[in-house]
Amino acid sequence: MAQKYGLLIDNYWCTGCHTCEIACKNEHDLPIGQYGIKMLVNGPWELREEGKWEHTYYPVITEYCDFCADRLAQGEVPSCQFHCLASVIEYGPLDELAKKMEELDRRATILIP
């Protein structure tokens, strides 16, 4: 059975800067309105405890994501991971990413195209 790969995103530390989107669009020369990875926003809304707010960012991959196959063939990481300012994106085998996800005590997502 072939090894499957994905992206681990630590949403707790994602700042929503959209650098992953821009890096992907530039890498694949995608037109306006098409994304390989797209930033979604959850919130803001006030939590039960007055004065505390929830505002979370969730990068998600689309059908245009190929994990930057050309970069991988050259031994490089996907462009979104390379350019992520908060270093919250990691590409790798799903079993390894799942183990790392278990170690995180906060929100994290594994993305698979």
Side-chain angles (χ1 to χ4, degrees), residues 29-97:
D29 197 28
L30 295 172
I32 292 173
Q34 287 183 357
Y35 301 88
I37 189 166
K38 176 74 174 139
M39 184 64 62
L40 302 180
V41 179
N42 186 28
W45 64 79
E46 193 167 12
L47 299 175
R48 290 181 203 168
E49 192 174 328
E50 191 174 323
K52 294 204 176 206
W53 292 80
E54 175 77 22
H55 196 172
T56 310
Y57 301 96
Y58 294 98
V60 296
I61 56 177
T62 74
E63 65 183 10
Y64 297 107
C65 177
D66 65 356
F67 295 133
C68 295
D70 292 342
R71 291 178 58 88
L72 292 176
Q74 296 173 21
E76 299 175 357
V77 297
S79 187
C80 60
Q81 177 181 340
F82 182 77
H83 291 283
C84 179
L85 298 175
S87 299
V88 300
I89 301 175
E90 182 177 349
Y91 171 80
L94 291 181
D95 55 346
E96 290 179 22
L97 296 179

Side-chain angles (χ1 to χ4, degrees), residues 92-105:
L94 291 181
D95 55 346
E96 290 179 22
L97 296 179
K99 287 178 188 172
K100 289 182 180 185
M101 186 174 174
E102 288 176 2
E103 296 170 7
L104 299 174
D105 60 351

